Amino acid sequence: MDNSKKYIAIEADAQNWEEAIKLCGEALIANNCIGQGFVTACIEREKSFPTGLPTVIPVAIPHAASDEVNITSVCILKLKNPVEFKRMDDSSESIGARLVFNLAIKGHNEHLDYLQNLIAFVMDEEKVKKCLSLSLGEIPNYLENNMS
């Protein structure tokens, strides 16, 4: 098993995209994956470069390049109610994200590869549906086994 990546799954209700990112950040901080500065960096980046994807099941993948990443990790937030994120491809449009994948990537070189893998994952409707149907305890292993 590859311990160089950590997957954390949480479920919550968020009022808006900023709160959704903060919830992910709190879980990542609690697991010693990131520092507080990473959360701020994600929120700032989302304002300029939104990450909502209008996939069949809409998702958002907030992330930021930050030196405050201790371990490459992803916090998956299952939202009880969809939260509006601006679209990555058209920031004048919004999507109601059902899942948020907050990416914390250690080392700037890995960033693009990992992001491409995650985008491929969320574009696969079956995989995203499976993520929504799994319990929080099952999601980390599922991601570990299905993210190339």
Side-chain angles (χ1 to χ4, degrees):
M1 186 170 129
D2 179 12
N3 287 325
S4 64
K5 293 183 182 64
K6 191 169 181 88
Y7 297 96
I8 299 158
I10 60 174
E11 188 167 16
D13 222 345
Q15 299 306 309
N16 53 43
W17 64 264
E18 201 165 328
E19 188 183 350
I21 292 174
K22 284 180 181 164
L23 288 165
C24 290
E26 285 165 13
L28 289 166
I29 288 169
N31 282 273
N32 205 23
C33 298
I34 60 161
Q36 184 63 47
F38 176 78
V39 182
T40 309
C42 280
I43 290 169
E44 287 309 308
R45 187 184 184 287
E46 191 71 28
K47 289 175 185 170
S48 309
F49 304 101
T51 63
L53 288 172
T55 40
V56 178
I57 296 165
V59 300
I61 46 172
H63 56 279
S66 167
D67 294 330
E68 289 197 39
V69 176
N70 304 326
I71 178 172
T72 293
S73 46
V74 184
C75 179
I76 302 89
L77 167 59
K78 270 172 84 167
L79 289 158
K80 292 180 180 160
N81 296 295
V83 168
E84 277 205 4
F85 275 78
K86 296 274 187 217
R87 280 174 53 161
M88 189 184 282
D89 59 341
D90 179 356
S91 59
S92 67
E93 300 278 319
S94 293
I95 55 115
R98 303 272 311 279
L99 286 170
V100 176
F101 293 83
N102 192 185
L103 279 191
I105 297 170
K106 188 172 174 64
H108 302 294
N109 300 338
E110 286 181 48
H111 221 268
L112 204 57
D113 286 348
Y114 201 74
L115 196 55
Q116 285 169 336
N117 284 343
L118 185 63
I119 289 174
F121 179 89
V122 299
M123 292 298 210
D124 185 324
E125 186 184 345
E126 291 310 307
K127 287 182 177 172
V128 175
K129 278 185 175 160
K130 182 91 172 148
C131 256
L132 278 172
S133 70
L134 290 171
S135 72
L136 293 180
E138 295 168 314
I139 292 173
N141 273 346
Y142 181 73
L143 283 173
E144 202 161 330
N145 296 327
N146 287 278
M147 291 268 302
S148 44

